[in-house]
Amino acid sequence: IPIRSRSHTIGFTARSYFDEKPKYINSKESKVFKKKEILFHFDEAKKQKDFIILVEGHLDVASLYQKGYWQSCALMGLSFEEHLISKFSQFKTIYFALDNDVAGNTFSKKLHNFFLKEKILVKILQIEPYKDLDEYLQKYDSLDSLLEKAPLFLDVLLQEHLKEIPLSLEKKLNIFESISKILQPLGFSPFSLEKLLETRDTLKLQM
């Protein structure tokens, strides 16, 4: 599949159909082709500003396009330069939909932290039990319900820490500290303070 940037073909990409390693095969790195600098299909997706779906591979972009959702772009594997985040500031809503595996979930959290540093809140499409959007769209014709129900990724991360409330005060304070670290990139914003107060109340801390 050709990879284009500013109307020019700068490289090619392919994906294994049999889960062989490596999963993605791309052109060799060069002055014009740098994986970390490329967002596949972004030039088309940026033509509207309502929302964009960030996926892990070009097959997810193709599947979305076939279903009528052309507002998506893909990473070139699990790589991303932080300065690319400025490209996303034009969109009203940003959805993460990386692969539902250990590597994809881990990188989603890393990527989310990059966006938080720029004070950008993103939502996440929860595709469980499917491994990626391509597999999800083989089962369902529409993505509308996922888009409508998509929570803030930040809320999902906070809830991971609050699944079980311990009895120990020390453990509660550890949870509060962990959540404070997640929110740290947002500084002392009203949103961040609200989340800290909610966490305090959930943990039943007297502070």
Side-chain angles (χ1 to χ4, degrees):
I1 297 175
I3 300 167
R4 298 177 66 79
S5 178
R6 297 176 183 177
S7 302
H8 298 287
T9 298
I10 60 173
F12 295 88
T13 183
R15 186 194 189 283
S16 166
Y17 277 93
F18 304 102
D19 292 327
E20 297 174 349
K21 302 297 182 181
K23 185 190 293 186
Y24 298 101
I25 301 174
N26 304 299
S27 295
K28 290 183 178 181
E29 295 277 318
S30 67
K31 290 182 179 180
V32 296
F33 185 83
K34 299 177 181 179
K35 288 195 302 179
K36 291 183 178 182
E37 302 278 348
I38 298 169
L39 293 168
F40 180 81
H41 196 251
F42 185 83
D43 285 353
E44 289 297 317
K46 72 179 182 181
K47 291 178 180 178
Q48 60 77 48
K49 312 299 182 186
D50 288 338
F51 70 88
I52 189 167
I53 304 170
L54 180 60
V55 298
E56 188 172 324
H58 56 271
L59 284 187
D60 295 323
V61 171
S63 295
L64 286 165
Y65 196 92
Q66 288 174 352
K67 299 293 184 179
Y69 303 95
W70 51 271
Q71 311 96 320
S72 68
C73 67
L75 303 172
M76 296 299 298
L78 296 177
S79 57
F80 187 89
E81 285 287 350
E82 285 191 55
H83 70 80
L84 293 176
I85 290 172
S86 61
K87 292 177 175 287
F88 291 86
S89 60
Q90 62 191 288
F91 300 100
K92 293 179 181 178
T93 308
I94 302 162
Y95 297 95
F96 278 8
L98 274 61
D99 290 359
N100 182 32
D101 54 23
V102 173
N105 292 331
T106 300
F107 196 76
S108 290
K109 292 177 181 179
K110 179 180 180 179
L111 200 57
H112 177 257
N113 195 51
F114 292 162
F115 277 79
L116 273 190
K117 288 179 182 178
E118 299 301 320
K119 310 296 188 290
I120 299 175
L121 296 174
V122 303
K123 293 188 173 183
I124 186 166
L125 299 185
Q126 298 177 304
I127 60 174
E128 300 85 351
Y130 304 99
K131 66 180 182 180
D132 54 31
L133 270 185
D134 181 42
E135 186 175 273
Y136 178 91
L137 290 170
Q138 290 177 27
K139 176 76 173 179
Y140 300 101
D141 287 328
S142 175
L143 203 65
D144 291 353
S145 61
L146 271 186
L147 293 171
E148 184 179 347
K149 295 185 297 184
L152 284 176
F153 194 10
L154 179 61
D155 285 338
V156 173
L157 296 177
L158 298 186
Q159 286 303 312
E160 285 182 0
H161 289 274
L162 296 169
K163 284 181 180 179
E164 297 182 8
I165 308 301
L167 296 175
S168 164
L169 175 60
E170 182 181 358
K171 290 181 179 180
K172 287 182 178 181
L173 290 173
N174 288 338
I175 292 174
F176 189 85
E177 183 179 356
S178 296
I179 288 177
S180 297
K181 288 181 179 178
I182 294 174
L183 293 168
Q184 190 173 7
L186 296 176
F188 294 102
S189 66
F191 180 85
S192 178
L193 292 173
E194 179 185 347
K195 292 298 178 184
L196 286 173
L197 289 174
E198 289 177 2
T199 301
R200 179 201 65 183
D201 294 342
T202 300
L203 294 170
K204 297 181 179 178
L205 291 170
Q206 301 296 322
M207 301 174 69

